[in-house]
Amino acid sequence: MKKCLRDEIPMAKILFINPVVREEDVPRHVPYGIALLAAIARDAGHLVQVYDANAWRMGEDILRQVLEADNWDVIALGGITTAYGSAKSIIGTARETCPEAVIVLGGGLLTSMPRDMMAWLPAVDVGVIGEAFITWPEILEMVDAGDRDWSQIPGTISRKDNGALIMSAQRELLNDLDSLPYPAWDFFPLEEVYFKNSEVLFSEEGMLAQRRIDINASYGCSLVCKFCFHLGIAGDMRYEEDSDGVVNPRFDVPGNHTRTTRYHSPEYIVKMAKYAKDTFNVDYIGFLDENLMTMDQYSGRTWLNEICRLWHENGLAPKPEFDSDGRMTGWTGMYWSGTSHATLCTKEVLKTMREAGCSHLVYGYESFAPHVLKTIGKGASRKTNIRSFFWTLEAGIRPVPNQIMGFPNDDFESLRMSMEAWKELGIVVKPHFATPYPGSEWFAVFRKSIEEQYDGDLEKFILEVGDATSISAVISQNFNAVELIGLRDMMVNGEHRLIDEYEKVWRRNHGIADGEPSTLVAGSRK
Amino acid sequence: MTSVLKGNFAPKKDVKPAAKEQEDLEATFEASALKRLGGSIAFVSKKRVNWDLEDK
């Protein structure tokens, strides 16, 4: 182990590896959590290297070279559930190549089901459950001290000598978010990979972005969407003991949703954006926040106004530049984008955001059918979906209207309602499939059904589940996977006649008479 | 080619992948063709070919 030159204390030598995710697309996002944890380790005096496997997409040979490049004390990985396949492969190679290294796994993929993950990944020494900002440096201190009693560190899961899993006490969330360093963006291939993939095809300004970077201004979301997992960092996680005395983290379940709302100060956010501009010549900022509007509402409608005011005050508000034909070619300052909410946005804040350079806002409209919307916990309605759509357009911001199909009570009528709205509003969309990601309420509700769909092998589901553009476990109570895929194709192409024809077959198959609601879900349409 | 490792110290060995132009061209072609798959656009993914295939 190396010694820190500053104080001659042995300091761990750390290799972060970012697993591959969304392999069907180019890498677009510096992994924010890993970049923050790398900065925390660096600031504590550790020797840190990052291998961003998702950015480089280099394969097994380069991975082995990376693992053999030094004597790593700690190899740390993290990611969301859809990175599981890559993480599993990397961890296996890491253990084989670096038998003495401490392998640490964190992020949403570990947090959502820590006992399952530790069982499927026996090479992992210690898992970090939930937020790692406090837990991670404590793990490194223990490595520095030559100890391995991870159970003394809250927020971990580890193994006893006999292999049994041991979960330590729950870790509290960090109160003072502004105490965090800025992400160690310079530890990632910005020039080689990420800036080349700056384009975001959600707005004209996003399309023209040349040097985009993402920032995260808040943690969590006050809403209780049943398809959402908040990574255990939104106050959504609590430890519960079952009847056998086994403790497990629990997340949203029907009737039990807990939340802690946290956000950076506007001063911190704008200073960080200005740092990105000054250091990396960034021209576009993507806010990764789950939902900017829930934070704004929680702040008493001051947060976004203050961010926008400071954006102007620091000279970050973009000024477009045009060629002789009047086409925009670039800009000074930085455009930016983020997430909004149909019910929580206001006309006034949208106008203020546009004036500060907001180019597009993602809305999870999900559906335009009232009987579906009221079951998903979104706190939005058809009316507020449409209202926010026009408010956003009128402000000069492009709304990005996400849609989902295959909700538990989606039926022919709800699909038609969404199609009508797409036509009326000019929305061009290919809906995602409702997917029960681990940690979400619908994962808890439908777990038995999910396991049955994968021959009782939950790991098969975890290996298959992607970003919901393709189908995995079905939670629709009315349609199977074949029907959902076919119906989505007909919806996207506006083929009402084919949908009408198939509904006749479906009604015959299920014994549902004409004139009755096209659903197998009792009470769905009341 | 720059190092694939980035951090705050020089590791004992640097990792700089060799350029793989031929493979890159093939990968670029297949990725581009895949985006337009459908109708008369069809292609052979060379890595998936079973060269030992025999008549049954």
Side-chain angles (χ1 to χ4, degrees):
Chain A
M1 191 179 296
K2 299 293 175 188
K3 289 188 175 182
C4 176
L5 294 177
R6 285 193 313 234
D7 49 14
E8 292 297 309
I9 297 171
M11 303 292 274
K13 191 181 281 186
I14 302 150
L15 172 65
F16 282 96
I17 303 181
N18 180 34
V20 178
V21 69
R22 297 198 75 226
E23 206 167 0
E24 68 277 12
D25 194 9
V26 295
R28 296 185 185 278
H29 306 284
V30 173
Y32 203 81
I34 291 178
L36 274 174
L37 297 177
I40 288 170
R42 175 201 61 201
D43 291 355
H46 294 285
L47 300 177
V48 180
Q49 289 285 333
V50 176
Y51 173 53
D52 189 342
N54 185 51
W56 291 107
R57 310 260 171 110
M58 291 288 185
E60 179 82 8
D61 177 52
I62 293 297
L63 172 64
R64 285 185 183 275
Q65 290 183 48
V66 165
L67 291 165
E68 290 165 354
D70 214 316
N71 300 321
W72 308 109
D73 298 306
V74 178
I75 298 172
L77 299 92
I80 55 177
T81 301
T82 52
Y84 173 68
S86 171
K88 182 180 173 85
S89 170
I90 291 169
I91 288 166
T93 307
R95 177 50 74 228
E96 185 187 318
T97 314
C98 310
E100 301 301 320
V102 175
I103 297 182
V104 185
L105 178 67
L109 80 96
L110 182 284
T111 298
S112 61
M113 39 202 321
R115 291 186 186 276
D116 297 286
M117 285 291 163
M118 292 295 279
W120 296 335
L121 302 169
V124 172
D125 295 297
V126 54
V128 178
I129 301 172
E131 190 165 273
F133 297 144
I134 305 172
T135 308
W136 170 240
E138 290 186 9
I139 288 174
L140 295 182
E141 280 176 26
M142 187 166 278
V143 174
D144 293 343
D147 295 335
R148 296 291 185 270
D149 188 4
W150 314 117
S151 65
Q152 296 302 309
I153 301 175
T156 62
I157 183 168
S158 54
R159 305 174 200 279
K160 295 179 186 172
D161 290 341
N162 64 4
L165 294 173
I166 180 164
M167 197 175 291
S168 64
Q170 183 172 358
R171 169 67 73 185
E172 74 274 20
L173 297 172
L174 179 69
N175 276 325
D176 181 13
L177 288 178
D178 285 0
S179 65
L180 289 172
Y182 299 152
W185 284 303
D186 52 321
F187 288 5
F188 293 81
L190 296 179
E191 300 292 345
E192 301 93 329
V193 179
Y194 287 112
F195 285 152
K196 289 176 182 170
N197 300 324
S198 289
E199 175 187 81
V200 272
L201 284 176
F202 294 139
S203 60
E204 290 82 345
E205 298 90 340
M207 182 182 73
L208 294 174
Q210 299 287 312
R211 298 177 71 83
R212 174 180 51 80
I213 242 175
D214 305 319
I215 66 175
N216 194 42
S218 63
Y219 292 79
C221 176
S222 60
L223 303 168
V224 293
C225 302
K226 295 175 183 175
F227 48 83
C228 235
F229 173 41
H230 304 277
L231 311 175
I233 61 174
D236 55 318
M237 181 172 69
R238 58 202 170 276
Y239 281 20
E240 288 179 4
E241 191 175 311
D242 67 17
S243 54
D244 297 326
V246 178
V247 174
N248 267 305
R250 298 285 182 222
F251 306 95
D252 288 1
V253 291
N256 195 346
H257 310 90
T258 54
R259 292 291 183 272
T260 302
T261 301
R262 296 176 299 158
Y263 46 81
H264 284 291
S265 68
E267 291 77 15
Y268 178 99
I269 295 160
V270 177
K271 274 179 77 174
M272 178 162 63
K274 189 165 186 334
Y275 166 80
K277 173 79 179 161
D278 294 343
T279 310
F280 305 109
N281 195 24
V282 165
D283 65 358
Y284 194 99
I285 293 282
F287 281 86
L288 297 168
D289 302 58
E290 276 201 73
N291 200 309
L292 293 171
M293 288 299 165
T294 66
M295 299 297 151
D296 194 52
Q297 189 201 35
Y298 190 83
S299 73
R301 299 296 185 189
T302 61
W303 192 62
L304 281 171
N305 275 313
E306 187 61 5
I307 292 170
C308 291
R309 188 186 72 75
L310 291 170
W311 208 266
H312 287 283
E313 190 175 288
N314 283 271
L316 301 179
K319 293 186 179 62
E321 296 168 337
F322 301 93
D323 65 14
S324 56
D325 296 326
R327 287 167 59 99
M328 185 167 66
T329 55
W331 53 83
T332 60
M334 295 190 291
Y335 280 103
W336 52 279
S337 57
T339 45
S340 186
H341 185 270
T343 304
L344 299 178
C345 69
T346 67
K347 258 183 163 178
E348 295 72 27
V349 80
L350 291 169
K351 186 168 176 291
T352 302
M353 291 165 77
R354 178 58 191 169
E355 287 167 357
C358 180
S359 67
H360 68 259
L361 287 171
V362 176
Y363 285 89
Y365 288 155
E366 325 306 7
S367 170
F368 284 92
H371 66 281
V372 170
L373 281 168
K374 77 177 187 185
T375 67
I376 63 179
K378 188 101 203 175
S381 65
R382 179 186 170 88
K383 183 181 169 187
T384 59
N385 277 358
I386 294 172
R387 185 182 71 185
S388 65
F389 177 85
F390 286 109
W391 281 357
T392 308
L393 279 176
E394 285 161 12
I397 298 171
R398 270 193 183 269
V400 182
N402 276 353
Q403 294 281 277
I404 298 176
M405 68 173 294
F407 287 120
N409 71 333
D410 250 327
D411 53 24
F412 285 98
E413 193 56 22
S414 69
L415 302 185
R416 289 194 186 95
M417 285 180 180
S418 288
M419 289 172 72
E420 285 302 322
W422 302 348
K423 190 176 173 186
E424 288 169 9
L425 300 174
I427 293 174
V428 180
V429 66
K430 186 175 183 181
H432 287 96
F433 292 114
T435 302
Y437 288 106
S440 69
E441 179 170 331
W442 275 337
F443 179 77
V445 170
F446 291 104
R447 180 164 178 159
K448 188 163 176 285
S449 160
I450 297 163
E451 288 175 349
E452 285 169 0
Q453 292 175 55
Y454 287 84
D455 303 323
D457 185 350
L458 192 61
E459 190 185 15
K460 280 188 188 169
F461 167 62
I462 303 299
L463 283 165
E464 186 177 279
V465 69
D467 69 355
T469 53
S470 57
I471 210 153
S472 55
V474 173
I475 57 172
S476 169
Q477 304 300 287
N478 290 323
F479 303 119
N480 62 31
V482 174
E483 289 169 328
L484 288 171
I485 291 167
L487 286 166
R488 181 173 75 170
D489 204 53
M490 293 178 215
M491 290 172 74
V492 168
N493 293 308
E495 291 165 331
H496 286 271
R497 183 186 65 79
L498 291 176
I499 293 175
D500 294 347
E501 285 301 309
Y502 183 67
E503 183 178 356
K504 291 176 192 168
V505 175
W506 184 92
R507 284 180 179 277
R508 241 186 352 258
N509 288 345
H510 293 288
I512 306 283
D514 288 347
E516 291 295 313
S518 59
T519 184
L520 306 173
V521 182
S524 166
R525 300 288 293 280
K526 288 179 182 168
Chain B
M1 196 78 182
T2 56
S3 173
V4 300
L5 277 169
K6 292 186 182 292
N8 62 353
F9 74 103
K12 287 179 180 169
K13 296 181 204 163
D14 203 357
V15 183
K16 290 183 179 176
K20 295 181 285 184
E21 289 178 18
Q22 189 57 45
E23 188 178 320
D24 285 350
L25 182 62
E26 181 182 310
T28 303
F29 160 71
E30 293 191 359
S32 302
L34 187 60
K35 284 179 189 164
R36 297 188 58 197
L37 190 63
S40 61
I41 301 293
F43 67 99
V44 175
S45 177
K46 286 187 180 175
K47 284 185 183 143
R48 296 189 197 174
V49 173
N50 177 6
W51 297 99
D52 301 324
L53 190 66
E54 293 175 5
D55 278 345
K56 288 179 182 171

